[in-house]
Amino acid sequence: MNGFFAKVIELIYSSQMTNDLYDNNIYGVAGLLMILIPILGAAIFYFGFDKARYVGWKAWGLSFLLSILTCFLICWLWPQSAMSKAGLDYASSEYVYFSAITSLYAVVVFMICTFVFRFRTTNLLHSPF
């Protein structure tokens, strides 16, 4: 899975640290995180909060932001910690850029989940659109 997610992320992301990310198996874990966190966030919103009072942009937007920010923070701090433990040092902007790319993919996954999950709920069918 490390190789698959490396190809997917490197479509947008190219840096000096890409080989080190691959060697330390960071692509595989980051790829799973960028898929699982938005699915979990959308599932919690659409199935856990399936009440009429959560219809609209506010609750959906909060769920969206929490999912994307969680993905961003984990994909920013965890690779930085793993690389420093391996004795590799890169600029903080490299990690932020990597995290932004994984968060961009997480946005896409969350939007796909929104369009799939909303048709399986009773109250949140029209949330957010």
Side-chain angles (χ1 to χ4, degrees), residues 49-103:
F49 296 104
D50 190 16
K51 302 202 182 330
R53 66 180 169 178
Y54 296 117
V55 174
W57 285 94
K58 289 181 183 178
W60 179 86
L62 183 62
S63 174
F64 175 76
L65 285 176
L66 284 175
S67 296
I68 303 308
L69 285 175
T70 301
C71 183
F72 181 85
L73 287 174
I74 291 173
C75 288
W76 175 36
L77 298 174
W78 174 72
Q80 196 170 10
S81 172
M83 297 287 262
S84 67
K85 285 181 184 175
L88 303 166
D89 189 33
Y90 290 99
S92 181
S93 61
E94 294 285 333
Y95 298 108
V96 170
Y97 185 55
F98 173 74
S99 181
I101 297 303
T102 57
S103 296

Side-chain angles (χ1 to χ4, degrees), residues 2-22:
N2 193 39
F4 171 73
F5 286 120
K7 290 178 184 175
V8 170
I9 292 172
E10 287 178 2
L11 287 174
I12 301 173
Y13 176 74
S14 180
S15 172
Q16 296 175 352
M17 71 177 189
T18 54
N19 290 332
D20 292 328
L21 290 171
Y22 185 83

